[in-house]
Amino acid sequence: FSPVGKMFRPVVRLSTSGVRSLTRTRPCYSAPLASRCYSHAKVETDEEFDARWVTYFSKPDIDAWELKKGMNTLIGYDLVPEPKILDSALRACRRLNDLASAIRILEAVKDKSGPHKDIYPYLIQELQPTLIELGISTPEDLGMDIL
Amino acid sequence: MLTSRALVRGLKSGFWRPLSSTSSVQAAHGKDMSPDVLDPSVQQYNNRLDTPLSDVPFVRNLNSEQRQLKEKEKGPWTKLTKEEKIALYRLTHELTYPEMRRGSSEWKTVLGGVFIFLGFSGMLVWWQRIFVFGEVPHTLSDEWVEKQTQRMIDMRINPVGGFAYHWDYVKKQWK
């Protein structure tokens, strides 16, 4: 099946820092011009980040506050969440019997993509099985994407 | 006379946009806009792009129809019609994202008001020029300036980089 998931990975991250590798190889005190004195703290990988958030929303007895807090925090980050995180969040909405929040989440990620108009269709494409299974209509289906 | 003119112009261009809904409608939606009840310690509904899920739903006091819809929401969502889904969304959220992002035409009003006031100021300046200021000194009349310029040329004012430098003494004209 399609490698689109891997292809769009860099697109889904809105900013890349380039710091992720090689923070522990060179000690600072030798100070040649090329080395940088970054902190030696461990940087979370993309996969770890995604897994953490999927786990957060997968909590079986998640409550409404946790869903709101999680979603608002996630939207606050400088990235568009991966489909698997959104899938987990939509299922949390289902457990909480909250269709409005599910639709709101879809609107929010579309807005979050900003000028990158190809992210949202990709997300919907990846989430299509979940949307059909849970019966979540997209904002476009409901005519809410236009004024 | 001037003060009443200013008042009329101010009223014409400086009107306040009316609140989007009356206080009674807002009370039904759980939004308390009366100043003595506006309590920051109580959770309120917000339309914010960066906060998709607000602390409280937009409509909190549900009538029986809405309560029935909420009950139906507990079942499979595939059974809900589009209108019901939209209704559920509107119960929890006042504005959709496109509605939040929609601009207004307020800038036209503001720009218009600015121009009106600038124009009014211009009127005042013009009136002042005609009715307040006296005659310009005679040393600024064309005749005087001509004679003055000729004298400056004769005196070789600023011959290197300034005034007389620009006069061609051979051809008797400006360079």
Side-chain angles (χ1 to χ4, degrees):
Chain A
F1 46 62
S2 74
V4 162
K6 293 233 168 51
M7 189 168 82
F8 273 87
R9 177 161 278 285
V11 172
V12 169
R13 278 291 149 130
L14 292 179
S15 70
T16 51
S17 65
V19 183
R20 296 186 176 271
S21 56
L22 304 177
T23 53
R24 278 168 293 175
T25 52
R26 214 190 292 246
C28 278
Y29 50 77
S30 56
L33 284 168
S35 90
R36 303 276 181 97
C37 296
Y38 290 135
S39 137
H40 292 279
K42 184 165 171 293
V43 178
E44 189 181 50
T45 65
D46 288 356
E47 291 73 25
E48 285 168 354
F49 175 87
D50 295 342
R52 192 160 54 85
W53 276 101
V54 167
T55 315
Y56 178 88
F57 287 117
S58 304
K59 187 170 143 185
D61 55 347
I62 193 172
D63 67 27
W65 184 91
E66 285 173 350
L67 171 67
K68 277 184 272 185
K69 176 67 181 168
M71 217 46 237
N72 292 338
T73 310
L74 193 57
I75 293 296
Y77 293 147
D78 182 20
L79 51 84
V80 181
E82 281 277 326
K84 56 171 117 80
I85 303 178
L86 297 175
D87 173 81
S88 189
L90 293 175
R91 288 185 189 281
C93 289
R94 175 64 269 192
R95 289 198 292 284
L96 289 164
N97 299 320
D98 193 351
L99 176 64
S101 294
I103 302 172
R104 189 69 154 185
I105 289 171
L106 295 176
E107 277 195 304
V109 297
K110 180 177 184 182
D111 187 76
K112 198 66 196 170
S113 325
H116 304 276
K117 299 286 179 215
D118 47 353
I119 298 181
Y120 180 67
Y122 162 69
L123 291 174
I124 294 297
Q125 176 201 308
E126 292 291 311
L127 288 171
Q128 203 66 302
T130 309
L131 295 179
I132 293 172
E133 179 197 330
L134 299 178
I136 301 172
S137 304
T138 65
E140 290 71 36
D141 289 340
L142 300 173
M144 292 200 302
D145 57 326
I146 42 154
L147 290 168
Chain B
M1 180 197 78
L2 279 177
T3 48
S4 63
R5 207 163 21 135
L7 196 62
V8 165
R9 292 214 186 267
L11 287 171
K12 211 197 319 175
S13 59
F15 71 87
W16 291 100
R17 258 181 307 155
L19 290 174
S20 57
S21 45
T22 63
S23 59
S24 59
V25 174
Q26 282 170 345
H29 288 266
K31 260 207 276 201
D32 257 318
M33 288 300 280
S34 51
D36 52 339
V37 192
L38 210 58
D39 184 359
S41 67
V42 169
Q43 292 173 324
Q44 50 163 251
Y45 173 77
N46 293 306
N47 287 309
R48 288 183 63 104
L49 295 169
D50 59 4
T51 310
L53 305 178
S54 194
D55 296 333
V56 291
F58 179 56
V59 179
R60 268 200 284 187
N61 314 318
L62 302 171
N63 62 34
S64 60
E65 232 177 66
Q66 291 164 334
R67 252 175 268 145
Q68 273 177 351
L69 189 55
K70 279 286 185 187
E71 284 304 311
K72 198 171 174 195
E73 196 185 12
K74 294 184 183 166
W77 291 338
T78 42
K79 299 244 170 59
L80 295 169
T81 67
K82 281 204 181 152
E83 288 72 28
E84 286 176 332
K85 289 183 185 175
I86 296 175
L88 280 168
Y89 181 94
R90 291 289 181 185
L91 281 179
T92 327
H93 302 109
E94 184 190 10
L95 299 175
T96 66
Y97 268 71
E99 284 167 7
M100 279 194 263
R101 281 207 173 268
R102 176 189 57 201
S104 71
S105 296
E106 190 186 8
W107 66 273
K108 295 176 196 165
T109 312
V110 171
L111 208 59
V114 167
F115 288 144
I116 287 171
F117 277 108
L118 282 176
F120 176 62
S121 305
M123 293 280 144
L124 286 179
V125 170
W126 190 14
W127 177 87
Q128 192 182 36
R129 171 72 185 81
I130 296 172
F131 292 104
V132 175
F133 292 148
E135 282 299 325
V136 147
H138 67 101
T139 52
L140 292 174
S141 67
D142 286 336
E143 200 194 304
W144 187 282
V145 169
E146 238 183 79
K147 290 189 190 156
Q148 178 182 290
T149 317
Q150 182 59 57
R151 185 154 183 260
M152 283 168 77
I153 288 167
D154 295 339
M155 283 201 294
R156 311 276 201 269
I157 297 284
N158 286 341
V160 177
F163 191 80
Y165 169 75
H166 293 292
W167 179 260
D168 189 340
Y169 285 93
V170 174
K171 291 193 208 144
K172 302 261 195 283
Q173 65 186 26
W174 291 109
K175 288 186 191 157

